[in-house]
Amino acid sequence: QKIQLSEKKRPILHLSGQRTVNLRFGITEANLHSIHGKLILTLPAGINVVPFKSDELNQVKEAGAAKMMLKSIVNNQVTVHYSGLTRNYLDVKAYNSAGQELKWKSKSLPPKQDAIDIDLLMTYEGTPDRIEIVTASDIIQREYPFILKQ
């Protein structure tokens, strides 16, 4: 199975999606009468961008119920500490001294738990001068059942 999402601008800004589904042996498109499914859309709400300069090591900052801290920047590696709901942790972005966003080489991802209190390590293509920890105040989930008929 494959899924592909892309941004469309017409008639209004929206996401468009396409999904490829493998049919069970013996089922063909000709004898398929309908497909029943459910689209589950999970979106962050209340985006928080928490900035840290390279000289703000070990300073705790808060966004909603989450607490975070920049622990270290050593060459191209950044260690942050995050305490809060896993689902509300979105990303860590890094910028060089010229203000250009750095691409990441590797990132540790938080475990699939409700709440976490852990260090996360990121490696970037360049030396970070500042970082931004991106979180959400809430995660909204909507379900849209559908039936496709031939």
Side-chain angles (χ1 to χ4, degrees), residues 3-146:
I3 189 164
Q4 178 183 7
L5 291 175
S6 57
E7 188 176 290
K8 302 288 183 180
K9 296 186 186 217
R10 293 188 184 170
I12 60 170
L13 184 62
H14 67 282
L15 289 178
S16 175
Q18 183 175 11
R19 180 165 185 177
T20 302
V21 179
N22 297 321
L23 301 176
R24 282 192 273 164
F25 181 76
I27 299 177
T28 65
E29 288 182 41
N31 63 13
L32 184 66
H33 300 289
S34 65
I35 297 174
H36 298 250
K38 179 174 24 175
L39 171 66
I40 301 172
L41 188 60
T42 304
L43 297 171
I47 303 295
N48 305 299
V49 178
V50 182
F52 286 90
K53 296 176 192 167
S54 59
D55 62 354
E56 293 183 296
L57 298 177
N58 301 313
Q59 293 183 25
V60 176
K61 295 186 180 183
E62 297 182 24
K67 293 181 182 180
M68 56 215 78
M69 171 178 31
L70 172 60
K71 291 188 78 174
S72 69
I73 297 178
V74 179
N75 297 321
N76 64 341
Q77 291 190 331
V78 172
T79 303
V80 299
H81 187 84
Y82 178 84
S83 178
L85 294 175
T86 301
R87 66 186 187 142
N88 292 17
Y89 170 85
L90 300 178
D91 199 7
V92 175
K93 296 183 176 196
Y95 301 86
N96 64 18
S97 58
Q100 299 165 319
E101 185 174 350
L102 299 172
K103 293 181 181 178
W104 57 270
K105 287 184 176 180
S106 66
K107 288 185 178 188
S108 45
L109 297 174
K112 302 280 185 190
Q113 301 171 351
D114 288 340
I116 55 174
D117 188 12
I118 62 168
D119 289 346
L120 299 164
L121 176 68
M122 282 70 56
T123 304
Y124 293 95
E125 294 180 0
T127 303
D129 182 60
R130 66 182 176 88
I131 67 155
E132 295 175 342
I133 301 176
V134 185
T135 66
S137 296
D138 195 15
I139 300 296
I140 298 170
Q141 185 168 305
R142 299 283 189 261
E143 296 184 3
Y144 301 94
F146 64 86

